[in-house]
Amino acid sequence: MTVLDQLEQFEEEALASIHRAEDLEEIQAIRVKYLGREGLITGILRGIGDLPPDQRADVGQRGNAVKQAIESALEEAEACLERARRRAQFEAQRLDVTAPGKPWAPGNYHPLGQTFDQVLDILVSMGYAIVRGPEVEKEWYNFSGLNIQDDHPARDMQDSFYVTEDVVLRSQTSPIQLRHMQAVAPEIPVRIVGPGRTYRRDTEDMSHSPVFHQCEALLIDQEVTFGQLRWTLTAFARRLFGPSVDVRFRPSHFPFTEPSAEVDISCMFCHGQGCSTCKGSGFLEILGAGMVHPQVLINGGYDPDLVSGFAFGMGIERLTMLKYGISDLRLLYRNDTRFLAQF
Ligand code: PHE
């Protein structure tokens, strides 16, 4: 067989195997086999010098033509295989827009957050501005400034978390009142609502938690009366619990208010008939309230001869439990989605 015949044969073989090739690796193997450094065509071209002089030109020309034919066939096949590979990839990634969706649990607004929002919405609509205060609080703002005497049980290390001798984790939101008064006195009117986290040394059980939430409200103006407090709380309770609830004031005691009251609503589970939720009384306690004690007004920078005020404070957990009939406070902190999904 002459060298030219051989070239012919290699070309035929090469083009045929390129045609049959199914992937890029095969193409690469063919390229190496014919055009690589040790390739068949490469070998012939390199051997031209050893041929008789009269054959060299023909073999050279033909050899280069074959080399180019193989190379362009390889490139074409490569492009074609690459297109096929991409098409297959797109096909595999195709999005079926008609496929049924996977269930998606979007989460829920926590019931405590919902109650907070409702409470704040009501009070803001009544003209109260939202004010915040520190959770790590000076003893004075949490106790002394609020008229809570040195021997008061709430001050006991057993009842409150002390950070140092005169710094506590606030046990109530009432210090917000005092800080705000000091910040704005002698300006009137004052109408604020102070929501936030509070801390007491309680062991967790159905109705206690060492961390809980309160919301405080304070109003100071000229000649504020207990009647206005009653009106405000009745309107508030009816908006929160429904227009048919009755509101009852029971005399009580808080060191920072005088007179003081605990406020009950008629039980919305039995409508005052008496049930297990209201323990047969027909009433549910919702908050503490009273007229701001003159000494607290003085501590806040106000003159009790010129202004008066009322304050009330409520536990958000308690309100939430009453609103939704939740019997165990701990459910509010477990973040069990089966529970939370109900709100
Ligand atoms: N701070 C009181 C408590 O934690 C509630 C309260 C606030 C009572 C304001 C009267 C006035 O129980």
Side-chain angles (χ1 to χ4, degrees), residues 64-298:
N64 278 321
V66 167
K67 181 180 167 181
Q68 242 157 48
I70 295 176
E71 182 53 48
S72 58
L74 284 168
E75 276 165 23
E76 204 176 297
E78 261 166 1
C80 182
L81 286 168
E82 177 60 23
R83 273 198 302 278
R85 190 190 64 76
R86 286 232 227 126
R87 206 176 307 122
Q89 188 186 344
F90 288 146
E91 208 59 44
Q93 291 173 350
R94 174 183 294 242
L95 204 59
D96 179 0
V97 292
T98 67
K102 291 199 187 103
W104 175 59
N108 255 66
Y109 196 19
H110 196 282
L112 285 176
Q114 294 187 34
T115 306
F116 247 136
D117 272 6
Q118 285 167 351
V119 166
L120 293 175
D121 276 354
I122 295 168
L123 290 170
V124 166
S125 79
M126 292 167 109
Y128 291 73
I130 299 173
V131 166
R132 305 199 184 251
E135 291 174 26
V136 181
E137 183 56 285
K138 292 207 175 101
E139 178 282 329
W140 191 84
Y141 287 101
N142 196 73
F143 294 128
S144 309
L146 290 168
N147 224 13
I148 301 175
Q149 304 301 324
D150 284 346
D151 57 359
H152 194 281
R155 284 178 171 261
D156 203 309
M157 300 281 276
Q158 303 301 316
D159 290 306
S160 301
F161 290 106
Y162 279 78
V163 179
T164 65
E165 211 169 298
D166 59 355
V167 176
V168 293
L169 298 187
R170 70 176 174 205
S171 62
Q172 50 184 352
T173 42
S174 302
I176 296 175
Q177 294 182 27
L178 205 44
R179 281 186 176 273
H180 187 75
M181 282 190 244
Q182 287 189 344
V184 301
E187 180 188 298
I188 48 168
V190 170
R191 241 187 264 112
I192 56 145
V193 48
R197 232 176 244 138
T198 44
Y199 302 83
R200 288 181 197 174
R201 268 184 184 259
D202 281 322
T203 305
E204 197 184 61
D205 64 20
M206 277 177 74
S207 54
H208 293 87
S209 162
V211 187
F212 56 106
H213 300 81
Q214 283 195 342
C215 194
E216 192 82 7
L218 170 71
L219 181 140
I220 299 174
D221 208 342
Q222 278 173 316
E223 291 176 57
V224 177
T225 66
F226 199 87
Q228 287 166 346
L229 174 61
R230 283 196 62 124
W231 178 88
T232 302
L233 286 176
T234 304
F236 172 78
R238 289 189 173 156
R239 281 188 51 194
L240 190 59
F241 290 102
S244 60
V245 300
D246 284 329
V247 177
R248 177 174 85 170
F249 281 64
R250 266 182 300 112
S252 184
H253 173 76
F254 298 103
F256 35 93
T257 48
E258 181 58 34
S260 302
E262 270 169 328
V263 178
D264 302 337
I265 53 167
S266 52
C267 178
M268 59 277 196
F269 299 104
C270 62
H271 303 285
Q273 299 305 299
C275 67
S276 60
T277 305
C278 61
K279 301 204 179 74
S281 72
F283 282 93
L284 299 165
E285 185 199 323
I286 59 162
L287 52 80
M291 303 307 291
V292 181
H293 193 288
Q295 186 58 50
V296 175
L297 285 173
I298 293 169

